Amino acid sequence: MSPTPTTATTALDRTTWSRPPVFFTHPAARYGFWFALAAYLVWSTGTLNIDWARTAQGLPRAGDMLARMFPPDFSRSELLIKGVLESLQMAFAASFIGMILAITLGLAAASNLAPRPVYLVARSLIVLSRTFHEVIIAIFFVKIVGFGPLAGLLTLIVASVSFISKMIAEDIENMNMGQVEAVRATGASFPKLLLYAVQPQILPRYLGVCIYRLDANIRHSTVVGIVGAGGIGMTLSATFKRYDYDFSLAILLTIIALVFIGEVFSTWVRSRLR
Amino acid sequence: MNTGAQSSGSYPDIWRRFSPAESVVRTLWLMLIVFTAIWSLRNLDITWEYFLDAHIQAGDLLTRMFPPDWGHTGQILDPLLETIHIATLGTIVSFAIAIPLAFLSARNTTPNWLTWFIGRFFLVSSRSINTIVWALVFVAIFGPGAMAGIWAIAFRSIGFMGKLIAEAIEEVDEGTIEAIEATGASRLKVLLIGVLPQVMPVIYGTTIYRWDINIRESTVLGFVGAGGIGIELYSSINLFRWPEVAVMLIAVLLVVIVSEFVSATARQKIT
Amino acid sequence: MLKISDLVKEYPGGLRALDGISLTVSEPQVVAVIGSSGAGKSTLIRCINRLVEPTSGSVRLDGEELTTLSRRALRRARSHIGMIFQEYNLVERLTVMENVLSGRLGSVSLWQAFRRNYPSEDVSAAFELLDRVGLKGRHDDRADALSGGQRQRVGIARALMQKPKLLLVDEPTASLDPKTSRQIMRLIYELAHERGTPALVNIHDVALAQASADRVIALSDGTQVFDGTPEGLSPEVLNDIYGEEDWSATIRKVDDDDNGDENGDTEAPVEKSKPAPRDIVRNGAVAE
Ligand SMILES: Nc1ncnc2c1ncn2[C@@H]1O[C@H](COP(=O)(O)OP(=O)(O)O)[C@@H](O)[C@H]1O
Ligand SMILES: [Mg+2]
């Protein structure tokens, strides 16, 4: 990135140094890149609707906000606990339902097991649901089943199914077909083939992916509430509307703790699965 | 022709895959998982009646979207461009912040344990808070608009990129660093000359990867007023203008898929 | 027992891997199928249990036509045809016992298979087979903890668990060192004769084929160019199969191998009391 000083380069030449620069080895290319970047910055910031006067107030406002955030207000613990619990419950239930539904979709999306039309339909479903952000999916579920945790639960289920099934499908496509052929040659039916040749090959990674998804669901469960789909996010977004910043901070700290615990747990379980 | 097993009776005829203790442990795990799921479902405040006609509602919603209001295409081009700008600028900002923070959070380059802890704390906080929650914060600071969006994207990406870059720094070849230190170079020079070039591929790869995630994230920033296509999408949904919504969804689909493709191609070129 | 007539396999793209093969195996014998790489050996074997669908022709096993079976009937037929592979193809994350018992998958219910709850006669047969192939006590090891030769022994046990009417063996030794290769081939030979099961063994090592088969068939470009006793493989015949070359070294090696084999068992002992395959053939002890 930064042009290397010549003195240091000679110093490097005498050492074990081996990796050549990866990008922009030619000076012209390097200057071209910086020029293009500058041009893009000018163009994009010019196009954006930015209220510079309002932006200028940002720093004092941020200071004011921080001042109001401290000390965080944990006194409304009942509301806090209820929201967190709801988020957690959505995450647990969605992960469980998702990991079961994903088995079918994952099988259907594996090109080496599923018939062509089934494969195409399954793949399109996965691509479609993975393209749209959880919050977009959440708002549609809010429109369909109304405000509340059901919409959030359904959102997380959709996200989990598409994520886990994509991983399952990839694993199945990469599995050793010789083992499958051997079990098929014993006269095993398709379900037995799944039990004896497919499941053993993909199970450890499948479980790892499910645990990872639980972790991701805990993180996402805190945001679907922003469009009314239940959980602590609903409470959080209300505090911002009321300028109730000390409660906001309490919620944010709780979320950070929750996500941290989820991540540690998920890493621990996945390391034990190896 | 087939004599089958010449049973001598001396071989065990019972075999269990798991010992009784193993079976108990497995059953307990299974029960724990199932009970957690059931407990979660039962305690969620869900009106299941709404669920019963959900498929009708969903079908109704889909039929209302067709035909998409193609005339609306012209009006969404600007917000769409804004979405891409927010993602790109946010990624650039986070690039600038994440690199120093990564050096602070990598064990082999951080000055002392306190700086390491501070670095890690920022990275963890950044990652724990979702982009859209960051957007809530920055809308409160900068007011509604793209500025809030850019900072929201940047603040969430710092933790993501910082963590991956710090991991790469920790794997840097120590020999090179020592060799440069031996030349009497200052600490900063060691970082710039010895470490940075080695992790540059990771930095580029991570940045491009995060950029395409950010494109997807920035499509919803507008839901909390932080700019981009989300603003129009949210208002069209709330006004039940489904044919317009359909056009925007298709646009989002295209932009996300194209950016994913661009990102994948670019990353392939690097490695 | 096995009667193949006019078997043709044309792969998509027009390649005729089998061009009208006819072959009858009417006694429990080990038939080595030799031929250079790409001759169609694997295709022939796979066309029998229809892991590869033959294009035309007929395959009859104990009078039953296999090529026209429905999927369900084909599964039942496959459950009586054991198969042994070059890459062993054990399910690596399963235990040795599960791999051996998987030979019974065609005859147990889905629930039994899921619970690993096999009938007691299957379990004792599996233990006996593991003992017979020299893996006593290894039943709870994971398959990927075994050496190549040991894996192939499990592969053999799995195939025999099926109580097969026919063994299909595709290059069983191509991934093994020479000594282990001979042990494995001898094991296959002995078991085929002990159980009266005919075996079709693909093998590209001419010396090994001569040493461990009752009959040799040679394929070249999808057609059969030789069918006879191992002794009948003269240099002239081999020239027909593989093209001009000096065969004296290859053929002499057969005898060297045989002598060296007597005390060559290092990996896992196969019962020493049994005579070596060639001797069995020479004495005619098990012919018919
Ligand atoms: N799945 C396949 N599709 C197309 N051609 C194949 C396929 N499998 C094998 N072949 C071709 O058929 C011929 C015979 O192959 P094979 O039976 O594997 O020979 P061998 O086992 O004697 O080495 C070869 O030319 C090979 O390239
Ligand atoms: Mg072959």
Side-chain angles (χ1 to χ4, degrees):
Chain A
M1 186 189 148
S2 56
T4 324
T6 24
T7 47
T9 317
T10 40
L12 280 173
D13 289 338
R14 285 186 274 109
T15 69
T16 56
W17 176 261
S18 60
R19 190 194 286 273
V22 182
F23 263 4
F24 310 132
T25 36
H26 199 277
R30 189 150 50 212
Y31 291 122
F33 171 76
W34 288 112
F35 180 77
L37 184 69
Y40 174 75
L41 286 179
V42 171
W43 172 57
S44 59
T45 42
T47 331
L48 290 177
N49 290 320
I50 294 177
D51 181 352
W52 291 103
R54 179 69 178 75
T55 305
Q57 298 169 16
L59 217 54
R61 271 182 184 256
D64 177 50
M65 190 172 163
L66 274 178
R68 288 221 239 159
M69 276 182 165
F70 284 98
D73 173 17
F74 284 98
S75 63
R76 275 162 283 175
S77 56
E78 202 177 313
L79 207 57
L80 186 65
I81 291 172
K82 184 177 173 292
V84 165
L85 216 55
E86 191 167 88
S87 279
L88 274 179
Q89 287 162 346
M90 289 192 318
F92 285 142
S95 305
F96 182 74
I97 298 172
M99 75 185 268
I100 290 170
L101 295 182
I103 296 173
T104 327
L105 191 60
L107 284 172
S111 58
N112 52 348
L113 287 187
R116 199 73 193 162
V118 176
Y119 164 79
L120 288 176
V121 170
R123 280 284 163 170
S124 333
L125 274 178
I126 291 176
V127 168
L128 202 67
S129 54
R130 279 180 58 72
T131 307
F132 292 113
H133 198 280
E134 287 79 13
V135 175
I136 296 185
I137 298 176
I139 194 160
F140 275 93
F141 279 123
V142 168
K143 291 294 161 198
I144 292 170
V145 299
F147 287 101
L150 180 57
L153 178 69
L154 293 173
T155 305
L156 294 180
I157 290 175
V158 168
S160 310
V161 169
S162 61
F163 180 83
I164 300 174
S165 55
K166 181 168 180 252
M167 292 302 185
I168 294 181
E170 265 164 26
D171 276 2
I172 293 180
E173 285 173 356
N174 290 330
M175 77 187 166
N176 178 333
M177 285 309 279
Q179 298 177 22
V180 177
E181 199 173 49
V183 175
R184 185 176 280 146
T186 67
S189 58
F190 186 70
K192 289 177 191 163
L193 196 70
L194 293 181
L195 277 182
Y196 273 73
V198 180
Q199 186 246 50
Q201 292 197 56
I202 66 165
L203 187 69
R205 248 183 57 99
Y206 165 73
L207 290 179
V209 167
C210 291
I211 294 289
Y212 172 81
R213 191 60 220 180
L214 173 63
D215 174 21
N217 279 343
I218 292 176
R219 275 182 278 132
H220 289 130
S221 68
T222 59
V223 300
V224 290
I226 285 169
V227 290
I232 188 72
M234 242 158 133
T235 324
L236 181 66
S237 106
T239 64
F240 272 93
K241 282 185 190 127
R242 293 195 311 259
Y243 306 103
D244 194 359
Y245 292 140
D246 49 357
F247 193 30
S248 309
L249 184 60
I251 296 175
L252 287 179
L253 291 175
T254 314
I255 291 178
I256 293 178
L258 202 65
V259 170
F260 185 74
I261 295 170
E263 204 175 293
V264 170
F265 172 75
S266 137
T267 316
W268 176 72
V269 175
R270 278 184 290 151
S271 71
R272 292 207 39 175
L273 282 174
R274 294 283 128 73
Chain B
M1 48 138 241
N2 182 359
T3 51
Q6 302 137 332
S7 182
S8 57
S10 61
Y11 293 98
D13 59 2
I14 294 175
W15 171 80
R16 291 279 166 264
R17 172 69 182 78
F18 297 105
S19 70
E22 283 172 326
S23 304
V24 168
V25 171
R26 287 167 64 88
T27 314
L28 285 179
W29 270 111
L30 199 68
M31 275 165 54
L32 178 76
I33 293 170
V34 172
F35 282 137
T36 312
I38 292 176
W39 168 79
S40 299
L41 271 178
R42 288 189 54 116
N43 283 281
L44 280 174
D45 181 19
I46 289 176
T47 323
W48 291 101
E49 289 83 74
Y50 291 154
F51 189 68
L52 294 179
D53 68 341
H55 60 286
I56 302 171
Q57 299 279 350
D60 183 48
L61 210 151
L62 279 179
T63 45
R64 277 164 201 259
M65 283 191 184
F66 284 91
D69 179 7
W70 298 113
H72 198 65
T73 316
Q75 278 152 271
I76 61 168
L77 288 182
D78 275 345
L80 218 50
L81 196 63
E82 190 176 70
T83 306
I84 297 171
H85 283 331
I86 290 174
T88 312
L89 292 171
T91 310
I92 293 174
V93 172
S94 80
F95 175 88
I97 303 177
I99 294 177
L101 213 51
F103 278 99
L104 216 56
S105 318
R107 263 175 243 276
N108 52 346
T109 53
T110 194
N112 53 52
W113 71 266
L114 186 67
T115 51
W116 175 80
F117 182 80
I118 293 174
R120 283 281 152 176
F121 175 77
F122 278 115
L123 291 188
V124 169
S125 314
S126 154
R127 270 185 309 131
S128 307
I129 297 179
N130 212 288
T131 308
I132 199 153
V133 178
W134 278 120
L136 281 175
V137 174
F138 284 105
V139 166
I141 293 176
F142 292 122
M147 187 55 95
I150 294 171
W151 285 97
I153 292 286
F155 265 61
R156 171 64 180 82
S157 308
I158 288 168
F160 177 91
M161 288 170 49
K163 180 180 182 229
L164 294 179
I165 298 171
E167 273 165 15
I169 294 174
E170 284 176 351
E171 276 161 25
V172 157
D173 173 31
E174 286 293 327
T176 325
I177 301 179
E178 278 167 20
I180 299 168
E181 271 171 353
T183 67
S186 74
R187 186 172 190 90
L188 188 65
K189 264 196 183 149
V190 170
L191 295 187
L192 284 182
I193 300 158
V195 182
L196 195 59
Q198 292 197 52
V199 292
M200 232 38 222
V202 174
I203 295 182
Y204 286 130
T206 315
T207 310
I208 298 169
Y209 181 42
R210 186 66 213 185
W211 171 77
D212 112 59
I213 298 177
N214 283 344
I215 292 273
R216 188 167 170 271
E217 301 257 288
S218 61
T219 57
V220 296
L221 288 172
F223 286 25
V224 294
I229 183 89
I231 298 182
E232 326 282 325
L233 185 58
Y234 199 45
S235 71
S236 292
I237 290 175
N238 284 329
L239 295 172
F240 307 105
R241 294 197 184 132
W242 300 113
E244 286 177 15
V245 172
V247 176
M248 283 185 257
L249 287 183
I250 293 169
V252 166
L253 192 74
L254 287 179
V255 169
V256 172
I257 288 178
V258 168
S259 72
E260 218 165 84
F261 176 76
V262 169
S263 153
T265 319
R267 275 181 289 146
Q268 216 156 36
K269 285 237 169 75
I270 294 176
T271 46
Chain C
M1 294 177 149
L2 175 70
K3 186 167 166 46
I4 299 173
S5 12
D6 286 326
L7 193 63
V8 173
K9 172 61 191 179
E10 198 172 299
Y11 280 111
L15 185 104
R16 272 199 167 217
L18 296 179
D19 199 359
I21 300 286
S22 296
L23 167 69
T24 304
V25 182
S26 49
E27 52 189 304
Q29 55 180 195
V30 174
V31 182
V33 182
I34 63 170
S36 49
S37 172
K41 305 184 294 291
S42 300
T43 306
L44 172 63
I45 274 203
R46 284 176 150 68
C47 278
I48 294 173
N49 64 356
R50 283 170 59 189
L51 286 177
V52 167
E53 281 296 335
T55 310
S56 68
S58 138
V59 177
R60 287 179 172 274
L61 181 62
D62 287 351
E64 183 181 35
E65 176 62 53
L66 301 182
T67 54
T68 52
L69 290 178
S70 66
R71 285 167 67 122
R72 190 188 189 84
L74 173 64
R75 280 205 301 272
R76 207 198 57 238
R78 276 178 180 165
S79 74
H80 298 300
I81 302 176
M83 192 159 186
I84 296 167
F85 302 81
Q86 172 183 347
E87 299 293 342
Y88 331 123
N89 288 349
L90 302 184
V91 182
E92 297 194 342
R93 286 215 179 85
L94 295 184
T95 60
V96 166
M97 194 53 153
E98 286 171 293
N99 270 289
V100 175
L101 286 173
S102 72
R104 301 303 305 158
L105 279 177
S107 66
V108 296
S109 72
L110 183 61
W111 182 243
Q112 281 177 308
F114 174 67
R115 297 297 314 274
R116 269 66 169 160
N117 186 11
Y118 285 79
S120 50
E121 62 269 24
D122 286 349
V123 174
S124 56
F127 275 113
E128 185 185 349
L129 264 170
L130 278 175
D131 189 9
R132 176 65 186 84
V133 300
L135 289 174
K136 189 170 189 162
R138 305 298 299 267
H139 52 273
D140 279 335
D141 288 2
R142 250 169 63 149
D144 54 9
L146 303 182
S147 72
Q150 291 169 331
R151 287 184 201 200
Q152 194 57 292
R153 290 166 194 274
V154 177
I156 293 169
R158 171 174 64 189
L160 288 169
M161 260 322 270
Q162 294 176 241
K163 298 180 188 149
K165 297 178 192 165
L166 172 68
L167 275 173
L168 302 176
V169 190
D170 195 358
E171 309 259 10
T173 62
S175 307
L176 299 172
D177 63 75
K179 189 182 279 176
T180 315
S181 295
R182 287 195 303 274
Q183 293 167 357
I184 291 292
M185 275 312 296
R186 185 160 69 172
L187 187 60
I188 291 172
Y189 185 94
E190 289 170 358
L191 284 165
H193 284 282
E194 273 170 25
R195 299 181 175 236
T197 310
L200 222 53
V201 185
N202 281 353
I203 190 162
H204 63 240
D205 181 338
V206 177
L208 198 54
Q210 285 180 303
S212 47
D214 305 302
R215 177 177 163 194
V216 176
I217 285 171
L219 295 187
S220 174
D221 280 337
T223 53
Q224 185 181 318
V225 292
F226 177 83
D227 182 354
T229 59
E231 286 82 2
L233 277 178
S234 60
E236 295 73 43
V237 175
L238 288 170
N239 277 339
D240 277 356
I241 304 170
Y242 293 99
E244 294 288 332
E245 209 178 298
D246 180 12
W247 295 102
S248 52
T250 311
I251 294 177
R252 199 175 57 235
K253 209 176 106 224
V254 173
D255 299 323
D256 295 347
D257 275 4
D258 238 10
N259 299 334
D261 204 26
E262 285 308 311
N263 38 27
D265 271 344
T266 46
E267 195 181 39
V270 182
E271 281 172 61
K272 287 271 162 59
S273 59
K274 292 252 171 26
R278 282 288 288 175
D279 297 334
I280 306 177
V281 180
R282 284 202 186 110
N283 303 339
V286 281
E288 234 124 329

